Amino acid sequence: MYGKGQLKKIGDMERYYPVLRAAVFITLAMITLCYSSEISEYRSKVIQNLTDGYDSGISPHFDLDVPTEVKVHIYISSFDSIRESAMDYTMNFIITQKWTDPRLNYTGMSNAEILELDTRIMNCIWVPDLYFANEKKASFHEVTVPNKMMHLHRNGTVVYRARLTMTSACPMTLEKFPLDTQVCSVVIKSFVYTPDNVVFRWEKGNAITYNQEMEMAQFEIGNIQNKDCTGEFEENNFTCIQADIYLNRKFEFFLLHVFIPSTLIVVISWVSFWLPIDAVPARIALGSTTVLTMITQRQSTAISLPPVSYIKAIDVWTVSCLVFVFAALLEYALVSIYSRREVKRIMIKLVPSKETKGSFIKSKSITWSNGTSDGVPVDVRTSEPKSKLKAKRIDVISRVAFPSFTSNIS
């Protein structure tokens, strides 16, 4: 048990606890600030010592007579467009290059694992002369600052990363369009160094990755294959790597906008087989309208495609639909010929004979060439014309023949 005097001393000490805690906090903050500023100053001295006398125009292993191996990785953030008319594609991606430069080894100088270099210091460090062989146009992103990064590891490993947008050529084969699969390549080469000085290698594992949530209007990414293409594109033997991106075209868009509408147009043209033979305006209007509609749809489909010399799958489909629609129009032309042939025969039978031609106006009873005297031939009054029966039979046969022939072709 404490006495009254001791309790009083303890109470007096508790009043100074907040002041003591504040003093300890301020002391620790000052020590940390001084230590961090010392580390920062020390790191800047390390970078300054590394860059003094450093020649960024010489490859890291130039004096060692061994090539500098540069590992490349690409992360595709988005495919902006894939154009069949121009046969190219545009994508937004981040490219990462990794190599080892013995001149930047700072082991023993600092305990820091990584030195993050500013963009102004990057210009003082050697970087590979990488370029895209099939590139049409490209640009770096500089909002709000240049989208570049360089990390320097203790053993001299350099990681250089940049973000850019590039439009590259993509030769396409459209024979199976729109059921095709296109292969768009990313070709990376060295512009100056041969494999004796610089060698590009794809990063082990997934050399090219992409955003899994990325959506494209007409394609989806299938397989990605990597290979070494050194010596394939030029006579000079420069290091080269290539990645082939397989793009599978989505069929749903063309199913809704091309195949289903064209099928309905062909089916509508068959409605004329059920219309009466005498309905000339309706059958002519229906046939001509469907033909013009198919021609318009074919032209609208061909606008987005390049004028290639070979036949595409969609050309076969649209031309086949146009042939069926045009055949339905010709079918009515054949039916109309048979109908008009019977009319001509009846008009010939209704012409008076030579004996009664002179007394036609005076006589109410006319003797016809077939021996009847009441004004109408017997076969006209008692039976349906044979040619008209043939015309109707053609319509009946067409109702079955056209759908059957179409299903067999499909």
Side-chain angles (χ1 to χ4, degrees):
M1 300 298 294
Y2 294 100
K4 293 183 179 180
Q6 293 177 341
L7 293 174
K8 185 176 180 181
K9 291 181 179 179
I10 293 173
D12 293 338
M13 293 178 62
E14 289 179 351
R15 290 184 298 176
Y16 294 100
Y17 283 168
V19 179
L20 292 175
R21 286 195 295 267
V24 172
F25 178 78
I26 293 173
T27 303
L28 293 175
M30 293 180 63
I31 293 174
T32 303
L33 181 62
C34 293
Y35 180 73
S36 61
S37 62
E38 181 180 356
I39 292 177
S40 176
E41 182 180 359
Y42 188 69
R43 288 183 178 180
S44 63
K45 289 182 179 179
V46 171
I47 295 174
Q48 184 177 0
N49 292 334
L50 292 175
T51 54
D52 285 345
Y54 183 92
D55 190 354
S56 60
I58 299 176
S59 60
H61 299 85
F62 182 79
D63 296 331
L64 302 178
D65 293 332
V66 294
T68 300
E69 186 177 273
V70 181
K71 296 181 179 180
V72 181
H73 174 267
I74 290 179
Y75 174 77
I76 302 174
S77 56
S78 66
F79 265 97
D80 296 335
S81 64
I82 301 174
R83 300 183 300 172
E84 293 85 359
S85 58
M87 289 197 176
D88 60 17
Y89 68 95
T90 302
M91 68 176 182
N92 188 343
F93 65 98
I94 298 174
I95 183 169
T96 302
Q97 305 175 61
K98 184 187 297 184
W99 68 93
T100 301
D101 193 340
R103 298 172 295 180
L104 299 177
N105 189 325
Y106 61 90
T107 303
M109 298 183 185
S110 174
N111 294 326
E113 293 292 335
I114 299 176
L115 296 179
E116 300 176 356
L117 304 184
D118 187 76
T119 54
R120 291 167 293 183
I121 304 177
M122 293 181 191
N123 298 327
C124 301
I125 305 298
W126 179 88
V127 295
D129 60 332
L130 179 149
Y131 81 100
F132 298 91
N134 59 335
E135 171 259 335
K136 289 185 176 180
K137 62 179 180 179
S139 61
F140 287 97
H141 291 256
E142 297 184 354
V143 180
T144 58
V145 294
N147 294 175
K148 297 180 180 179
M149 181 208 76
M150 181 175 285
H151 287 176
L152 177 61
H153 293 258
R154 187 186 302 173
N155 62 349
T157 300
V158 182
V159 178
Y160 178 68
R161 185 173 298 163
R163 177 170 172 258
L164 63 156
T165 297
M166 180 180 66
T167 300
S168 300
C170 179
M172 301 182 184
T173 55
L174 301 172
E175 286 90 348
K176 297 181 179 180
F177 179 89
L179 305 175
D180 56 334
T181 297
Q182 300 300 333
V183 181
C184 293
S185 302
V186 179
V187 183
I188 297 175
K189 299 187 64 177
S190 173
F191 199 82
V192 176
Y193 297 106
T194 61
D196 296 334
N197 290 319
V198 176
V199 175
F200 288 146
R201 294 280 187 268
W202 286 112
E203 187 74 28
K204 292 183 179 180
N206 295 327
I208 293 184
T209 56
Y210 58 91
N211 183 9
Q212 297 295 332
E213 299 180 355
M214 179 178 58
E215 289 289 339
M216 289 182 285
Q218 295 187 20
F219 291 90
E220 58 184 3
I221 297 179
N223 189 23
I224 299 178
Q225 295 182 356
N226 309 321
K227 67 176 183 179
D228 191 325
C229 57
T230 302
E232 291 187 5
F233 292 91
E234 297 178 359
E235 296 180 358
N236 297 326
N237 188 24
F238 291 103
T239 180
C240 173
I241 55 177
Q242 178 177 341
D244 296 330
I245 305 174
Y246 288 80
L247 301 172
N248 302 323
R249 193 183 300 274
K250 297 178 181 179
F251 180 70
E252 291 80 2
F253 172 83
F254 296 93
L255 179 64
L256 295 175
H257 293 81
V258 178
F259 291 99
I260 292 180
S262 57
T263 302
L264 294 177
I265 293 172
V266 173
V267 173
I268 290 173
S269 67
W270 297 342
V271 175
S272 63
F273 303 150
W274 276 265
L275 295 178
I277 298 176
D278 300 333
V280 178
R283 298 190 68 162
I284 291 295
L286 183 62
S288 59
T289 302
T290 52
V291 170
L292 293 176
T293 305
M294 276 305 308
I295 294 175
T296 303
Q297 187 185 42
R298 171 171 167 73
Q299 291 177 348
S300 63
T301 305
I303 288 176
S304 60
L305 299 176
V308 294
S309 58
Y310 49 83
I311 299 175
K312 303 179 289 293
I314 197 170
D315 294 334
V316 176
W317 175 268
T318 54
V319 170
S320 299
C321 293
L322 182 59
V323 168
F324 279 111
V325 172
F326 189 71
L329 181 61
L330 292 181
E331 187 270 348
Y332 177 67
L334 181 62
V335 170
S336 178
I337 290 173
Y338 275 96
S339 299
R340 286 188 288 107
R341 180 183 298 177
E342 184 65 24
V343 171
K344 289 181 180 179
R345 189 175 67 84
I346 294 174
M347 292 302 296
I348 292 174
K349 289 184 178 183
L350 292 178
V351 175
S353 60
K354 294 181 179 180
E355 294 79 2
T356 60
K357 187 175 182 180
S359 59
F360 176 74
I361 301 176
K362 298 180 180 180
S363 176
K364 295 181 179 180
S365 178
I366 305 174
T367 302
W368 304 97
S369 59
N370 61 350
T372 60
S373 60
D374 58 352
V376 181
V378 176
D379 58 345
V380 177
R381 290 185 288 107
T382 60
S383 63
E384 189 174 8
K386 294 180 180 180
S387 298
K388 191 170 184 180
L389 291 175
K390 291 182 180 179
K392 289 184 177 180
R393 191 177 299 114
I394 293 174
D395 274 344
V396 174
I397 295 174
S398 300
R399 295 171 190 175
V400 180
F402 273 74
S404 301
F405 189 67
T406 305
S407 60
N408 292 332
I409 292 179
S410 302

